[in-house]
Amino acid sequence: MTQAATESLSAVQERALGALRRDGIAVLRFGELFDEVLWAEAQRDIAPFVAASEEAAKAMGDRPSGKEEVIFRRFFDKASTEEPELSIDSPWLRIAASDQLLGIVNAYRETTTRLFYVDNWYTPAYPGAQERVASQRWHRDPEHEHVVKLFVYLSDVDEGAGPFEYVRSSTGGGRYGQLWRWGGSSDDWYPPTEELEAAVAEEDRLVLSGSAGTVVLCDTGGFHRGGFARARPRVLAVATYLQPGLKGKYGRSRFAVDFGGREHELSRPVRAALV
């Protein structure tokens, strides 16, 4: 990423980039990056999925029976065997693969990143849940040491809805980067909660409660957790950005794009993120 590229960032993008570099996480409002029209389109598009998820949640007990019941995924439902295809006009690509967000992510990673994963999540509430499971526990993500993820709150998320939580400065090279370092044994992906929290100052354990329209960009090579919803459901849009050139299952995007013959209309960073 050249100096000229970072100099072209807006004040909002610069603020987010500074927070990512300092803390590994940046919090914005949807309206700082996008207009009300796109927000309304996103809410309309996700409404049928939310309604179906609410019905499915009624059939669940008061606690999950396994990790697959912790999150309902729209495009990557466990019953689906097909790779999802998203239109270039989809609000989710217009958000995740936007110049507004890619400008921040690419400047942080100092390379042109690729959009690896896009989905909508519905986290049902389980009043009887006693223990955190799977991604509800502190962990580092495995895709890359500095994988960047996007979370857009599409519902109000308070403590009862399982807000995203993050350990500030826990990425590689950060203040807590040496704790259960990224790339260690599989036992290090999910360290004991009590040991991790004893090693981290309370003020560095961030709880990202927020109203609908909260946007979280973070390096999830750092410690994070979320989705321990016990009072209210949580609705999110999620995206993952990876550097090019990775091998194996992280070497290609998990979705296809219907460009409708309009690739030429896209900026270079957007084409690189999607092709």
Side-chain angles (χ1 to χ4, degrees):
M1 184 64 60
T2 66
Q3 181 178 359
T6 58
E7 287 176 348
S8 67
L9 297 181
S10 69
V12 169
Q13 290 173 312
E14 287 282 7
R15 188 181 82 235
L17 176 60
L20 273 170
R21 288 173 171 170
R22 181 182 65 249
D23 299 326
I25 186 167
V27 182
L28 302 147
R29 293 295 302 170
F30 190 89
E32 292 184 284
L33 298 169
F34 307 104
D35 60 30
E36 294 180 0
V37 173
L38 181 54
W39 176 254
E41 287 184 33
Q43 289 286 4
R44 284 196 300 271
D45 188 81
I46 202 173
F49 168 68
V50 172
S53 297
E54 289 173 343
E55 285 300 310
K58 292 178 182 178
M60 302 294 182
D62 69 345
R63 67 194 66 192
S65 60
K67 66 179 184 179
E68 291 297 335
E69 293 184 0
V70 170
I71 299 172
F72 297 169
R73 295 170 173 83
R74 181 180 182 183
F75 303 128
F76 292 92
D77 181 272
K78 63 180 179 180
S80 175
T81 59
E82 296 184 3
E83 179 182 76
E85 181 177 79
L86 299 178
S87 165
I88 194 62
D89 292 321
S90 160
W92 316 114
L93 290 188
R94 287 159 57 202
I95 293 168
S98 64
D99 285 306
Q100 295 94 311
L101 284 171
L102 288 169
I104 302 167
V105 175
N106 291 351
Y108 174 68
R109 293 295 293 115
E110 298 184 340
T111 189
T112 301
T113 57
R114 178 171 50 84
L115 189 59
F116 172 70
Y117 174 85
V118 179
D119 208 350
N120 296 158
W121 288 357
Y122 178 97
T123 304
Y126 290 105
Q130 300 298 316
E131 296 183 0
R132 292 174 177 266
V133 299
S135 61
Q136 295 175 344
R137 298 171 53 203
W138 290 116
H139 65 286
R140 298 185 187 276
D141 281 344
E143 295 97 329
H144 188 270
E145 185 175 7
H146 292 289
V147 53
V148 176
K149 291 198 173 178
L150 166 72
F151 301 93
V152 180
Y153 289 4
L154 296 163
S155 63
D156 294 340
V157 179
D158 59 12
E159 295 253 7
F164 184 76
E165 299 179 51
Y166 192 81
V167 174
R168 186 192 346 243
S169 193
S170 61
T171 60
R175 196 158 57 254
Y176 302 109
Q178 79 284 357
L179 299 176
W180 294 277
R181 296 173 64 94
W182 189 92
S185 71
S186 58
D187 293 337
D188 292 340
W189 294 120
Y190 290 83
T193 299
E194 297 78 9
E195 292 182 32
L196 174 66
E197 294 184 352
V200 174
E202 185 175 356
E203 62 267 23
D204 289 327
R205 299 202 309 267
L206 307 180
V207 179
L208 281 305
S209 298
S211 59
T214 297
V215 175
V216 178
L217 265 179
C218 58
D219 183 331
T220 54
F223 282 113
H224 61 287
R225 67 181 183 180
F228 193 50
R230 302 180 69 189
R232 281 163 293 284
R234 182 186 68 164
V235 184
L236 302 172
V238 186
T240 302
Y241 304 88
L242 295 178
Q243 70 178 54
L246 297 182
K247 305 298 183 183
K249 63 181 180 179
Y250 301 129
R252 62 185 300 272
S253 298
R254 295 186 62 190
F255 62 95
V257 180
D258 177 6
F259 290 99
R262 294 166 50 200
E263 293 92 331
H264 65 283
E265 299 177 9
L266 307 176
S267 69
R268 185 184 64 82
V270 172
R271 286 197 304 273
L274 294 177
V275 175

